[in-house]
């Protein structure tokens, strides 16, 4: 067991001590954090649906109909008509025969790997995949092979090294700390060539990318039938909570039979499912939010480039500004908060050493003025002018 007292001290000295801030408002363009009203540049509520009146109304009405707790796991008696309808709508929206709800995205990823892989198999992952995909490989006991970030030659080399067992190839679609996108066609080619099953985690693409927010496959013109396992979360652009896996009839039935973190956990509240159905409805009927988000992303990039901020190659709502030193990143984030701007500092071990960053996330409801203020303050803190 680790000496946790000493470990905490060490974290403080290295500027790696994590602390929670207390929120007393809904998610929105503005939030109240530690009692202070600030502009919000770090939630994943990209479209502002987490506090949308219609989404809340569906939640309230479903709570009246179903109560709050679902009371049991899906396979016992926690699977309501609301859950079932949402699964059908999600499958249809993403172009798959079936979809299955999980209580969180973290659990969905664990469930897939544990359910599909044995210790004789290999899971091949991008070095920058989300922690839940890496943990998923560990829990499955399969052999984990990691290739260099979006390096399809490195990927090919790893795939060639797997001789025995089956192969599961997993990648984020939009990398959560860098905001860049994987080339799904390249992944598809590699998976076909080496006979690997392809899984895409679209947590940051679903709801924002593609036609009506149908996600990264639609955005990159990839047929759903080419990606065997599609996973996306509901707690980000959709503004609710939970996640789903979409795929073939056989895949979904396999998960229902054998994914331990599906079977042995309480179903998400039915009210969350109903609220998500409303979010989905909003996606299909109103696409001005995605347009506005894209305008904000472009405006931020334009201003940040003019101010010579160190951006990464991202076209998504996740726009990291690389600072390097962890303490410096934490300091700048703190100073921004004093100025009424909430931007998270992301430090090792979440990102590689010396790549600590401000992880700016944009929203559909940010104004041009909000973005100007943000870029001005960041460049002032970095460059002193
Ligand atoms: C957020 C995220 C998850 C986890 O989803 P939760 O519903 O928050 O547990 C999984 N994968 C990626 C890429 C994510 O960004």
């Amino acid at each position: 067991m680790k000496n946790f007292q000493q470990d905490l001290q060490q974290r403080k000295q290295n500027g790696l001590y994590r602390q929670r801030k207390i929120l007393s408002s809904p998610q929105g363009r503005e939030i109240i954090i530690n009692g202070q009203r600030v502009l919000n540049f770090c939630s994943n509520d990209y479209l502002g649906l987490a506090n949308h009146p219609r989404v809340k109304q569906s939640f309230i009405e479903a709570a009246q109909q179903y109560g709050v707790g679902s009371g049991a796991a899906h396979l016992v008696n926690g699977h309501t008509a609301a859950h079932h309808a949402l699964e059908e709508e999600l499958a249809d929206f993403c172009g798959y025969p079936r979809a299955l709800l999980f209580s969180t995205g973290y659990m969905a990823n664990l469930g897939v790997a544990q359910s599909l892989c044995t210790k004789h198999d290999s899971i091949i992952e991008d070095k920058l995949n989300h922690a839940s995909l890496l943990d998923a490989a560990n829990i499955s006991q399969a052999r984990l092979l990691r290739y260099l970030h979006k390096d399809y030659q490195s990927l090919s080399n790893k795939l060639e090294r797997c001789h025995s067992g089956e192969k599961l190839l997993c990648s984020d679609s939009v990398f959560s700390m860098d905001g860049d996108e994987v080339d799904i066609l390249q992944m598809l080619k590699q998976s076909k060539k080496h006979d690997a099953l392809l899984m895409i985690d679209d947590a940051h693409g679903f709801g924002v990318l593609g036609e009506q927010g149908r996600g990264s496959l639609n955005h990159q013109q990839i047929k759903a039938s080419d990606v065997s396992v599609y996973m996306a979360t509901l707690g980000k652009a959709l503004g609710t909570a939970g996640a789903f896996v979409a795929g073939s009839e056989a895949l979904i039935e396999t998960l229902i039979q054998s994914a331990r973190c599906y079977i042995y956990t309480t179903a998400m509240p039915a009210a969350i499912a109903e609220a998500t159905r409303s979010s989905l409805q909003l996606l299909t009927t109103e696409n001005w939010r995605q347009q506005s988000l894209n305008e904000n992303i472009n405006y931020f990039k334009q201003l940040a480039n003019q101010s010579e901020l160190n951006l990464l190659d991202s076209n998504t709502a996740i726009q990291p500004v690389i600072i390097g030193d962890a303490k410096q990143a934490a300091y700048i984030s703190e100073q921004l908060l004093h100025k009424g701007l909430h931007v998270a500092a992301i430090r090792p071990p979440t990102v590689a050493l010396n790549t600590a960053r401000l992880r700016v996330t944009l929203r559909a409801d940010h104004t041009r003025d909000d973005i100007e203020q943000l870029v001005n303050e960041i460049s002032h803190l970095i460059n002193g002018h």
Side-chain angles (χ1 to χ4, degrees), residues 104-177:
T104 71
Y106 190 99
M107 290 164 72
N109 284 340
L110 261 52
V112 168
Q114 170 263 317
S115 184
L116 301 186
C117 300
T118 72
K119 64 176 191 230
H120 305 295
D121 302 326
S122 302
I123 299 184
I124 302 94
E125 301 205 21
D126 190 294
K127 283 235 166 167
L128 297 192
N129 270 359
H130 190 260
S132 59
L133 280 172
L134 301 169
D135 294 357
N138 285 330
I139 207 169
S140 75
Q141 300 183 4
R143 186 159 72 122
L144 172 61
L145 294 145
R146 298 170 75 185
Y147 57 91
L148 299 175
H149 181 49
K150 293 201 305 188
D151 181 332
Y152 305 104
Q153 187 55 49
S154 166
L155 165 59
S156 177
N157 296 344
K158 295 286 177 192
L159 281 164
E160 257 157 31
R161 279 179 34 202
C162 306
H163 296 301
S164 60
E166 310 279 334
K167 289 160 258 185
L168 177 65
L169 170 56
C170 302
S171 180
D172 287 20
S173 55
V174 175
F175 289 87
S176 53
M177 295 301 138

Side-chain angles (χ1 to χ4, degrees), residues 58-68 80-82 270-271 274 277:
S58 299
F59 184 91
I60 291 162
E61 284 169 14
Q64 297 291 1
Q65 185 181 348
Y66 291 103
V68 175
T80 65
E274 283 296 341
R277 293 181 71 196

